Amino acid sequence: MKANIQDIKEIWCNVLGVEDVDIQQKFYDLGGNSVMLLIILDEINQKYQMELPISDMNQFDTVTDMTDYINREN
């Protein structure tokens, strides 16, 4: 299953508790923290039946980068 930007953006918004995010803005600049990143990672792993490591997620810290990474790995 391929990830799309809207799905990843929705996960981020839900976890961050906001209505909208800029898909190019960095996760930590949006108010994210390591606990929120773990929640996002868990939701992505469940939704796309993957096992992405947390270390990789820190490198892909925008919605766009994360979506592209998921699609490369899935």
Side-chain angles (χ1 to χ4, degrees), residues 30-47:
L30 292 166
N33 60 45
S34 57
V35 173
M36 290 175 171
L37 185 60
L38 288 172
I39 295 168
I40 288 172
L41 181 63
D42 184 57
E43 289 192 30
I44 287 170
N45 283 337
Q46 287 181 34
K47 183 173 182 75

Side-chain angles (χ1 to χ4, degrees), residues 1-72:
M1 171 186 235
K2 290 291 182 184
N4 69 56
I5 286 180
Q6 276 309 117
D7 288 343
I8 303 305
K9 182 178 175 178
E10 184 177 320
I11 291 170
W12 280 40
C13 287
N14 289 339
V15 173
L16 291 166
V18 297
E19 288 186 32
D20 194 31
V21 295
D22 178 338
I23 62 172
Q24 295 299 325
Q25 194 166 1
K26 294 187 181 295
F27 178 72
Y28 291 107
D29 292 344
L30 292 166
N33 60 45
S34 57
V35 173
M36 290 175 171
L37 185 60
L38 288 172
I39 295 168
I40 288 172
L41 181 63
D42 184 57
E43 289 192 30
I44 287 170
N45 283 337
Q46 287 181 34
K47 183 173 182 75
Y48 297 102
Q49 291 139 19
M50 305 176 76
E51 287 299 325
L52 298 174
I54 187 75
S55 58
D56 288 348
M57 292 293 93
N58 283 318
Q59 297 175 43
F60 306 101
D61 59 353
T62 68
V63 170
T64 302
D65 290 343
M66 191 174 282
T67 303
D68 291 344
Y69 176 73
I70 292 165
N71 286 331
R72 280 193 307 273

